[in-house]
Amino acid sequence: MISSGKTVNAENHGKLMTGFLVTPKRDCPHINNEHVNLPEDEEQIKSLVSGICSKPCKDCEDISENWFCLKCHSNCCSRYVSGHMAKHFEEENHSIVLSLADLSLYCYECDSYIETPNSSIRTLRKEVHKEKFGLYPGEEEEKEETVEEKKVEISSDNLQAIEILAEKIKNIDDESIIVLTGAGLSTASGIPDFRTPGTGLYDNLERYNLPHATAIFELSYFEENPKPFFELSRDFISKGYKPSKAHYFIKLLEEKGRLLRLYTQNIDGLEAKSGVSKDKLVNCHGMYDTAHCINEDCKEEYDLAFVKEAMGDDENEIKVPLCKKCGSYVKPDIVLFGESLPDRYAQCLTKDLLKSSKCKLLIIIGTSLKVYPVAAIPNFAPNGSTRCLINREKCGPFTTIDGNVREGVENSKHNAYTDLFIGEELSIDESVEKLVELLDWKEELEELYKKGPIDLVEQSKKHEK
C-alpha cells in the first residue's frame, strides 16, 4: 500500500471535542471519482448496504462504532475505538466516509463533517438508515405485511408469565391498570433507545461534538447551544415514526375500559399518536406538542406546528425557533436535565398510587428503570397488586425474580406483589402479540394498527384554533 503522506489534523480534531456545534461543510471538493465509488442504480446500492451495519472493522473486528469508506467500501472503527478509519485514510487517501452510528458524512481531506446533494450518497444514507432502524422517516410502507406470520419459539417460563398476565387482565372489569413505558417500547418503530451499547442514542452522538453524551438533554447546554437539540429533534417532530403494536395495545386497554393511566418516559409522542387520550396520558419527561419561550419574563406558549415550521424544511440546515415577542429561544416542553418534571406527574402519581389502592395491575414496558424519580413508580404499587415487566432483560425490583414468576407472600414484611417478567427471547411486540392472542383481542389490535397514527402537527393546529 502507498501512504498518502497525510495525517489527521490533531488540533482540529481537538476542537471538535470542545462541545460547540460544527457546521457541516457544503462545498467539499472531494465528492468525485477519486474518493467516491458508488453505483448510481438504487438496487445496486441496496445490495451494497445489505449487512453493512453488522460488518466488523477490517483491522480489529470491532463492531461497536464503525465508519464506511465510500471509495473501497471498507468498514473501519472510529477514533473512539482504535482509530482504524483515520489510519485507512493515511494509507489509502480515501477521504469520504459515512458513520454507521449516526449517518454523518466526514471528509478527511477537508477535516470536516460535510453535506452533499449527491444523489448516490443520499440514497446510500437512506438505505443504511433502513438497514439499521427500519422504515425511513416520512416514507410509507411499500406493501402490506406478509400474511404468513413469523413463528416465535416461546420458553415455558415466558409462556407461563404471559398466561398469568392475560388471566389478570381478563379478571379486571374497571379502570385499574397502570402502564409505565420507556424507550424500549419505541425501538420497534425505528427509534433507538438511550443506553443499549453500540446502538443506543448516547453511543451515537458523535456528530454533535458534545462535551459529554447527556449534554444534548441538559438545560444549561441548550441555553448555550440549542442547535444540536433541534437537529436531534427533527425526527421526533416529523411524521415518519409510527406507533408499534405495543403502543396500540395500550390504546386497546383504554378502549376496553381497563386503563387507569399511562405514564411514559418517552418524548417521541408515539403514545399520543396511537390515540391514547390526554386525560389518560402522563408525559413524565414532557412532549413536543407544546413549547414555550425560555425567557422567564416572557414564557410565551407555542404549538407543535409553529416549532416544525420555524425549524424549516431544509434537511441540510435547521433553524432554531425564536419567540415572536422577545426573540429568545423557543423550547419544546421536553424536560431537560436541570428542569423539574411537569406538575401533572406529581398530581397523577398522588391520585393514582400514593393516596389510592385502586391499581390492581402495573405493566412496565421497555425501560431500564434507571432514571429517577419515574423509576420508583413500581415501588408505589399497592399491596397485593400484580407488577409485570415486559423488557429484554430484568431490571429494578425484577432482578431478584428466580425465573419469570414470583408469587406474593401474604403478611410478609414487604408488599405482597405478584411479579411477572416477560422478555429474553421475545421482543416487546412479540410478547404483546402472544398476549392479545390469549385475550382474544387480536382482530381489534390489527384494526387499530391498520387505522394508523394521529397527525400531532395537524392536531396542534386544531387545538390552537
Side-chain angles (χ1 to χ4, degrees):
M1 291 183 290
I2 300 173
S3 171
S4 68
K6 299 175 182 176
T7 58
V8 179
N9 188 310
E11 180 182 355
N12 283 354
H13 271 266
K15 290 178 181 176
L16 292 180
M17 298 304 294
T18 61
F20 297 97
L21 181 70
V22 177
T23 303
K25 184 179 177 69
R26 290 181 171 78
D27 58 353
C28 172
H30 305 106
I31 306 295
N32 53 46
N33 292 338
E34 182 181 348
H35 299 278
V36 178
N37 176 29
L38 293 175
E40 294 183 4
D41 182 72
E42 186 171 335
E43 291 303 316
Q44 289 180 318
I45 292 178
K46 287 181 180 180
S47 177
L48 176 65
V49 164
S50 179
I52 191 175
C53 296
S54 58
K55 185 179 175 183
C57 169
K58 69 180 182 67
D59 292 321
C60 68
E61 298 297 314
D62 189 89
I63 61 170
S64 62
E65 188 170 331
N66 286 327
W67 291 75
F68 176 73
C69 175
L70 271 60
K71 178 65 175 179
C72 68
H73 309 160
S74 296
N75 276 23
C76 298
C77 63
S78 76
R79 65 179 182 271
Y80 294 128
V81 184
S82 299
H84 285 126
M85 185 53 84
K87 179 184 175 185
H88 178 72
F89 162 67
E90 292 169 5
E91 293 177 345
E92 302 290 349
N93 196 26
H94 297 169
S95 65
I96 309 297
V97 295
L98 173 72
S99 168
L100 298 179
D102 61 14
L103 309 188
S104 57
L105 279 172
Y106 192 82
C107 175
Y108 280 103
E109 287 278 5
C110 296
D111 203 7
S112 173
Y113 287 98
I114 62 172
E115 287 293 347
T116 175
N118 181 281
S119 60
S120 292
I121 293 178
R122 290 167 70 90
T123 300
L124 176 73
R125 294 172 88 172
K126 176 180 176 180
E127 293 303 325
V128 173
H129 185 287
K130 290 162 70 174
E131 173 86 5
K132 188 176 180 68
F133 299 119
L135 191 65
Y136 193 70
E139 190 175 59
E140 297 296 330
E141 291 282 5
E142 294 180 359
K143 57 184 179 179
E144 295 285 335
E145 289 194 3
T146 178
V147 176
E148 184 179 349
E149 295 183 1
K150 174 184 168 186
K151 291 185 178 180
V152 180
E153 294 293 330
I154 303 177
S155 68
S156 57
D157 286 345
N158 255 329
L159 184 58
Q160 181 191 13
I162 296 172
E163 289 173 342
I164 292 173
L165 177 59
E167 196 61 32
K168 297 283 184 181
I169 294 174
K170 285 179 181 178
N171 291 335
I172 289 174
D173 58 4
D174 60 355
E175 295 181 345
S176 57
I177 297 176
I178 291 177
V179 180
L180 168 62
T181 63
L185 175 64
S186 297
T187 55
S189 300
I191 301 176
D193 64 12
F194 285 86
R195 292 175 172 79
T196 299
T199 61
L201 183 62
Y202 285 149
D203 275 4
N204 293 291
L205 294 173
E206 181 178 336
R207 68 178 296 189
Y208 303 113
N209 301 291
L210 305 167
H212 48 275
T214 57
I216 202 166
F217 292 120
E218 291 175 2
L219 180 61
S220 58
Y221 189 77
F222 178 91
E223 292 170 339
E224 174 189 336
N225 182 17
K227 209 162 185 179
F229 173 84
F230 283 104
E231 289 193 338
L232 180 66
S233 297
R234 194 197 291 269
D235 278 350
F236 292 144
I237 293 175
S238 76
K239 294 182 286 187
Y241 294 121
K242 299 177 181 179
S244 67
K245 288 186 177 180
H247 288 97
Y248 287 110
F249 166 69
I250 302 170
K251 172 60 180 173
L252 191 53
L253 285 176
E254 180 187 1
E255 291 193 350
K256 294 287 186 179
R258 291 169 167 86
L259 183 66
L260 172 58
R261 200 84 63 192
L262 165 58
Y263 292 83
T264 180
Q265 300 171 86
N266 299 333
I267 60 175
D268 52 43
L270 293 183
E271 289 89 355
K273 281 187 175 183
S274 73
V276 174
S277 304
K278 267 198 166 185
D279 64 312
K280 296 294 183 184
L281 180 59
V282 178
N283 292 293
C284 305
H285 297 154
M287 206 181 84
Y288 286 95
D289 54 342
T290 57
H292 285 83
C293 172
I294 66 171
N295 183 345
E296 291 291 334
D297 296 325
C298 179
K299 289 285 187 181
E300 183 72 8
E301 181 174 324
Y302 295 91
D303 61 22
L304 177 61
F306 167 82
V307 174
K308 186 175 186 292
E309 183 178 352
M311 288 193 302
D313 54 10
D314 183 350
E315 67 176 63
N316 296 322
E317 180 63 33
I318 195 164
K319 297 176 182 177
V320 175
L322 299 177
C323 178
K324 292 180 179 179
K325 285 194 171 182
C326 71
S328 298
Y329 298 140
V330 172
K331 183 183 79 66
D333 292 338
I334 303 300
V335 179
L336 302 181
F337 292 112
E339 292 185 296
S340 300
L341 269 61
D343 291 340
R344 177 169 166 77
Y345 168 75
Q347 292 165 357
C348 289
L349 186 67
T350 300
K351 180 180 178 182
D352 297 341
L353 289 169
L354 302 183
K355 290 188 176 180
S356 172
S357 58
K358 187 175 183 180
C359 175
K360 298 172 185 174
L361 172 61
L362 174 62
I363 304 175
I364 304 146
I365 307 176
T367 174
S368 62
L369 292 176
K370 289 182 179 179
V371 180
Y372 286 84
V374 179
I377 286 180
N379 299 327
F380 302 138
N383 190 29
S385 64
T386 297
R387 306 181 301 184
C388 176
L389 174 66
I390 304 176
N391 199 42
R392 69 171 182 269
E393 58 190 18
K394 295 175 183 177
C395 59
F398 297 87
T399 55
T400 57
I401 295 179
D402 184 15
N404 293 59
V405 179
R406 177 170 58 195
E407 297 287 350
V409 180
E410 294 293 339
N411 302 319
S412 67
K413 294 181 180 179
H414 304 288
N415 283 348
Y417 300 122
T418 294
D419 285 335
L420 309 172
F421 170 65
I422 301 169
E424 294 168 339
E425 78 273 4
L426 292 177
S427 70
I428 289 172
D429 269 21
E430 288 168 347
S431 300
V432 166
E433 286 179 359
K434 183 60 182 177
L435 176 61
V436 297
E437 180 186 320
L438 294 176
L439 289 167
D440 200 22
W441 293 358
K442 190 172 180 178
E443 287 186 10
E444 292 161 285
L445 181 64
E446 288 294 336
E447 285 178 12
L448 281 175
Y449 187 68
K450 288 179 180 178
K451 184 179 178 181
I454 291 172
D455 188 331
L456 298 183
V457 176
E458 289 300 317
Q459 182 175 271
S460 75
K461 289 178 182 178
K462 294 176 183 178
H463 175 73
E464 185 69 15
K465 292 175 184 177

